[in-house]
Amino acid sequence: MSEDTSAESPRAGARTPDRPDEPPREKDDVRRDTGKDRSAPEPKDDRATADEPRAPAEERDGPISEKDALRSLTEAGAHGDAERSEALRAGAIADEIARRLNADASGTRIGTLALFNETVSFGGGLHTGPGRGTDHRAGGASLLALDAADVADHTDLYVQPEGYEDAVELLRDRRLLVLTGPPGSGREAAAVNLLEEALAIDGGGGGGCHRLLLPSQVLEPGWEPPVKHSGYLAALEDGPAGVRRFTGVPGTGSDPGPARWAAVAAALRGSGSLLVLTGGHDLELLAAGPGGDHLAHHPLTPLDPVAVVERRVLGHGGGADAQAELRALLERTGAAAALREQPAARHAARLASVISADGDIAAEVARLRDPSEQVRAWFDRYREPEPVSFALAAAVLEGSGYLTVADAAVALRAALTEPAAAPPDLRFGDLLGHEQQWIRLELPDAGSLSAGPPRVYFRNALLGQVILAYAWTALDGRRGAVLDWLHRLLTHPDLEVRARASVAAGVLVLADPQHAVHRFLASWAGSTSWPLRQAAATALGVAGSRPESADAVWELLHHWARGDASARRRRLAGTAANAVGGLLGRSDPDRAVAVLHAALDRGDDWGTLPSVAWGGVHLLHQGQVATLLDAYLRWSAPQDLSPMVVKTLSAFVFAVSRPYEQPLVTAEDDTAGGGGRVPGVPVLLTGLNRHHERLTELWARALARRPVQDTALEALHTWIDGYADDSPGSLDAIGRLLTAVAHRPGRHRERLEWWLEKWARDRDHPSANAERLLRLLR
């Protein structure tokens, strides 16, 4: 590997382009200007490694020798686009998620969520009013009369949904109405209003309205309304279990059938009474089954929550000015945004009561938007594998297409249940407005030629992360299955799925960093699989973006970077180098280059060079140009043939060779070095004028050192003929660079003139740019 110093320097213009002359070399290229002892050891002969024991096949996942490492860098420059694109996508998504985690949009930060705070109030009423009549009374009573106050709570200031008049007529005609809607949609208030109005129109209602505490009794043979000329409300619990309890009356079978429904309707008609059954999606399916012809079914249309607030605050006589003032208050306090995230009527009613009482609106908005309360209440209500699996899949893959999320949910559901003989009939989309109200399905623009699939989003930006944290910390029996499922997503064919799963792993790290390191993070970081190592790096970037966990993450990365030369520890060091090129490096570039130094300065172990070189490129693309160049100058200052100098200069040449790629998501705080970057052109070329002195010194060192010299010349040639024309002013900047290098002591000028003339006179591809630079130098 030592330089050949036997060739004489040919005179300028004395050779033809195809003449096999060697470029000028100089004896003091290796130790020029160092002021050091010139007896520094020569590099090892690559052939000396031929007889050394080879590592097992499963361990040979990274280069070890100098020759292999340098060849790997060359191959990475030519074939590393897939890994590079994956790193960019994962980094962009991690940026976006980290901004959500740190935005504190609701006054609740992910790291301080009261997931185990038993004083949290979950709410949970299914109506819009206080509802004193909803209490279940002891003593086995099956009927509860609604008093005047109960009725007034529901009927005063009630906002009629779309189709309300049609529902009244259906109830009067059929006597039995199935009223369905998601929890919190105002089903109970609607039922009471429908009953009161239908009874008033019919001129009856002397018996008042009653709540049936045991709805299944209506399906028993011979059932009669306990009080004639009355209205009855029977509220079924949401979910399959509620319907099973309703239909599981002894002697009726699992489905009431047409005869039973007909008998119930006849009993109501005979006593001059009305019955409204309320429930969710499963009741809707029951109503569509056998006997549905005897039922009147009305799905509730969602109410505008702002309209509910207006009615309850302003009454029926609120004028335009009062409405405008109230709407301005809702926007100013964040209440309007909170109602968009949680549009259920009960939330609007509660907010209206706070406003009417001159209460603390900010506190109520913070409570309403607190994702921890929503998540805790939801998991307390929904425990079946189907809703849990879709919620977790949406939390990991938020923003992905519906089919992608649904497929992931099916896979997780299979891990949470016993194997079935046939695939289950799962229709997650039917439950988005019922069990999964916190999720919205964003449909593509029908008029767009590039319309994609419908995509899944949470209404609150923090919800997905809180769901992951809660499931990881609270669902103890399912933690292993969730981790295995997440591991499988990391090898998914879709790059976006892998990237989002990596970000989700970072959220799990936040929940308990020490547990995560030992449970999965270290094994991923030391894996022979590139996707798993990339996942570990992305996860650490997300976890390290939080102030409370940043120090622990940096300490872990330093520990991995300083490992021994075993294959696994080398992979850990490479993962550390990869991690600091993203979010972490932008937030603390000095710590980042310290990790890169530790990962690179491993004596004769060259296996981390590709990872460190990529980490440096990522730092450049994050805008940390000056910090990285200063580090390269320090690390290569001895200017000898020690491994650290050659590794550093090799990493530098790799950096000057890599074109800039526009990130998919531009960070809001990306202000360092952001100006002037041109997609498709190396950052160090477009930044040549801003960092002229640093780049002049590093180019001079790289051009004077073998084996770096050869790749440096190739990189320079690519700058001149491959990139200069794509970046205005770059060729002039290269001219100033080469002039500055040529003025340095040694044979820099002769070398540059020889190569510029060779490129300018090339028989097949003569370079006009090289000819122009050659004239400048001469």
Side-chain angles (χ1 to χ4, degrees):
M1 287 214 164
S2 59
E3 288 188 343
D4 178 7
T5 59
S6 60
E8 293 296 327
S9 172
R11 292 173 297 173
R15 55 195 181 288
T16 59
D18 57 343
R19 183 175 174 178
D21 288 352
E22 288 293 319
R25 311 196 185 283
E26 48 191 324
K27 294 181 179 180
D28 62 342
D29 260 0
V30 175
R31 304 174 184 89
R32 176 184 52 82
D33 296 343
T34 64
K36 295 183 178 293
D37 181 8
R38 300 197 175 194
S39 61
E42 293 295 318
K44 295 181 179 179
D45 189 332
D46 291 327
R47 293 171 296 180
T49 64
D51 297 328
E52 293 179 2
R54 300 282 289 175
E58 65 272 12
E59 296 290 296
R60 293 199 306 269
D61 60 283
I64 297 176
S65 70
E66 177 183 356
K67 180 180 179 181
D68 287 343
L70 296 177
R71 182 173 61 247
S72 177
L73 273 188
T74 302
E75 293 173 352
H79 308 294
D81 290 341
E83 291 186 358
R84 172 65 178 155
S85 296
E86 178 160 334
L88 276 177
R89 176 72 63 87
I93 296 174
D95 276 4
E96 181 181 10
I97 298 299
R99 284 201 299 272
R100 290 185 191 176
L101 296 179
N102 297 324
D104 196 17
S106 66
T108 300
R109 289 186 176 275
I110 199 81
T112 57
L113 292 177
L115 296 179
F116 300 102
N117 185 350
E118 296 301 327
T119 64
V120 172
S121 173
F122 304 140
L126 303 182
H127 50 84
T128 61
R132 289 180 293 275
T134 62
D135 295 333
H136 288 198
R137 296 183 178 177
S142 61
L143 190 68
L144 178 63
L146 300 182
D147 59 26
D150 294 327
V151 173
D153 285 336
H154 290 305
T155 57
D156 289 352
L157 306 177
Y158 179 67
V159 179
Q160 295 180 356
E162 183 180 346
Y164 177 81
E165 297 298 336
D166 294 336
V168 172
E169 292 304 316
L170 281 172
L171 177 59
R172 293 179 60 217
D173 180 54
R174 299 291 185 88
R175 318 305 291 181
L176 173 59
L177 176 68
V178 173
L179 186 68
T180 59
S185 60
R187 295 180 305 208
E188 182 172 312
V192 173
N193 278 270
L194 289 170
L195 289 170
E196 286 286 316
E197 187 161 345
L199 289 170
I201 293 175
D202 290 344
C209 288
H210 302 80
R211 180 187 305 279
L212 293 175
L213 302 182
L214 297 175
S216 61
Q217 289 181 340
V218 303
L219 296 179
E220 294 178 356
W223 177 83
E224 293 286 344
V227 182
K228 293 183 177 182
H229 307 293
S230 299
Y232 293 92
L233 165 64
L236 273 60
E237 296 179 26
D238 287 280
V243 172
R244 285 196 298 267
R245 279 190 285 271
F246 173 65
T247 59
V249 179
T252 64
S254 60
D255 195 309
R260 285 308 310 147
W261 287 124
V264 173
L268 290 167
R269 192 177 303 277
S271 70
S273 298
L274 305 169
L275 171 61
V276 177
L277 284 173
T278 66
H281 178 68
D282 294 281
L283 177 59
E284 190 172 291
L285 295 178
L286 178 65
D293 292 342
H294 295 273
L295 303 173
H297 174 218
H298 181 76
L300 271 179
T301 302
L303 287 170
D304 177 5
V306 174
V308 174
V309 174
E310 288 180 345
R311 177 65 58 81
R312 287 182 166 266
V313 173
L314 302 177
H316 293 280
D321 292 342
Q323 288 183 350
E325 184 178 351
L326 178 58
R327 286 180 177 260
L329 174 67
L330 296 178
E331 290 291 344
R332 187 171 63 253
T333 58
L339 291 175
R340 285 191 292 270
E341 293 173 3
Q342 295 205 72
R346 70 171 181 265
H347 301 309
R350 176 164 174 169
L351 182 62
S353 66
V354 173
I355 296 174
S356 298
D358 291 329
D360 189 340
I361 301 176
E364 177 60 24
V365 169
R367 187 205 63 79
L368 186 57
R369 301 191 72 185
D370 182 353
S372 62
E373 180 176 342
Q374 296 179 56
V375 170
R376 181 71 176 269
W378 189 89
F379 275 98
D380 188 59
R381 174 176 300 195
Y382 298 107
R383 297 172 178 264
E384 297 296 320
E386 286 78 9
V388 169
S389 61
F390 192 85
L392 286 173
V396 172
L397 302 175
E398 183 179 4
S400 299
Y402 169 77
L403 295 181
T404 299
V405 177
D407 286 348
V410 170
L412 178 57
R413 188 254 183 201
L416 300 178
T417 57
E418 294 292 333
D425 182 12
L426 298 175
R427 306 182 188 188
F428 294 116
D430 292 345
L431 304 177
L432 289 184
H434 294 266
E435 294 176 354
Q436 307 282 359
Q437 292 184 64
W438 50 17
I439 294 174
R440 61 184 174 88
L441 199 61
E442 187 173 287
L443 301 177
D445 184 358
S448 173
L449 295 178
S450 59
R455 294 189 174 272
V456 176
Y457 293 95
F458 284 96
R459 296 184 184 276
N460 183 316
L462 291 178
L463 269 173
Q465 318 314 315
V466 185
I467 287 171
L468 285 171
Y470 182 89
W472 184 248
T473 55
L475 305 184
D476 298 324
R478 293 174 169 177
R479 190 176 299 117
V482 170
L483 183 59
D484 291 343
W485 167 74
L486 192 63
H487 185 279
R488 289 194 295 273
L489 290 182
L490 294 174
T491 59
H492 194 280
D494 189 336
L495 170 63
E496 183 175 331
V497 171
R498 298 199 299 272
R500 292 184 182 277
S502 302
V503 173
V507 176
L508 302 187
V509 175
L510 284 170
D512 187 337
Q514 184 174 4
H515 175 269
V517 168
H518 296 291
R519 182 69 187 268
F520 64 88
L521 200 57
S523 64
W524 293 0
S527 171
T528 59
S529 166
W530 155 257
L532 286 181
R533 295 199 301 273
Q534 174 62 42
T538 302
L540 285 169
V542 173
S545 69
R546 298 290 299 170
E548 61 270 20
S549 57
D551 287 341
V553 169
W554 281 112
E555 183 179 352
L556 177 67
L557 293 175
H558 280 286
H559 173 69
W560 285 354
R562 293 191 297 265
D564 57 40
S566 68
R568 181 176 182 277
R569 295 306 298 268
R570 185 185 307 117
R571 293 192 294 269
L572 288 173
T575 299
N578 187 18
V580 301
L583 282 168
L584 295 171
R586 188 172 70 241
S587 62
D588 198 334
D590 292 330
R591 273 179 160 177
V593 297
V595 170
L596 292 180
H597 182 270
L600 195 63
D601 191 14
R602 298 160 63 90
D604 289 334
D605 180 10
W606 290 72
T608 58
L609 175 57
S611 297
V612 172
W614 271 118
V617 170
H618 294 164
L619 274 181
L620 292 178
H621 292 191
Q622 296 281 358
Q624 308 302 329
V625 178
T627 302
L628 183 69
L629 294 182
D630 287 342
Y632 284 168
L633 287 169
R634 292 194 304 273
W635 304 347
S636 63
Q639 298 192 63
D640 54 22
L641 283 176
S642 63
M644 188 61 185
V645 171
V646 177
K647 292 176 187 177
T648 300
L649 294 178
S650 297
F652 166 72
V653 172
F654 184 76
V656 302
S657 305
R658 300 304 303 162
Y660 174 69
E661 298 181 43
Q662 185 71 31
L664 300 177
V665 178
T666 302
E668 295 175 354
D669 59 346
D670 185 12
T671 57
R677 287 183 290 194
V678 178
V681 177
V683 170
L684 293 181
L685 175 55
T686 55
L688 191 50
N689 288 329
R690 291 191 299 275
H691 306 282
H692 176 79
E693 292 298 328
R694 296 181 177 95
L695 288 170
T696 297
E697 179 60 30
L698 285 169
W699 268 110
R701 294 178 186 180
L703 289 168
R705 296 289 174 274
R706 276 202 161 191
V708 183
Q709 183 185 73
D710 293 337
T711 53
L713 286 165
E714 292 176 11
L716 179 60
H717 190 193
T718 305
W719 267 26
I720 293 171
D721 286 329
Y723 296 119
D725 292 338
D726 296 331
S727 178
S730 289
L731 190 62
D732 292 335
I734 295 173
R736 290 189 289 273
L737 169 72
L738 298 185
T739 300
V741 172
H743 280 123
R744 290 173 176 264
R747 307 185 70 182
H748 289 293
R749 175 180 295 277
E750 292 177 78
R751 179 185 301 107
L752 290 174
E753 289 183 354
W754 193 92
W755 282 102
L756 287 172
E757 183 174 0
K758 178 179 177 62
W759 299 332
R761 307 285 189 267
D762 186 271
R763 177 178 298 171
D764 297 322
H765 302 287
S767 170
N769 286 347
E771 177 70 29
R772 175 180 166 184
L773 294 172
L774 180 62
R775 290 197 302 270
L776 177 66
L777 285 188
R778 289 178 173 171

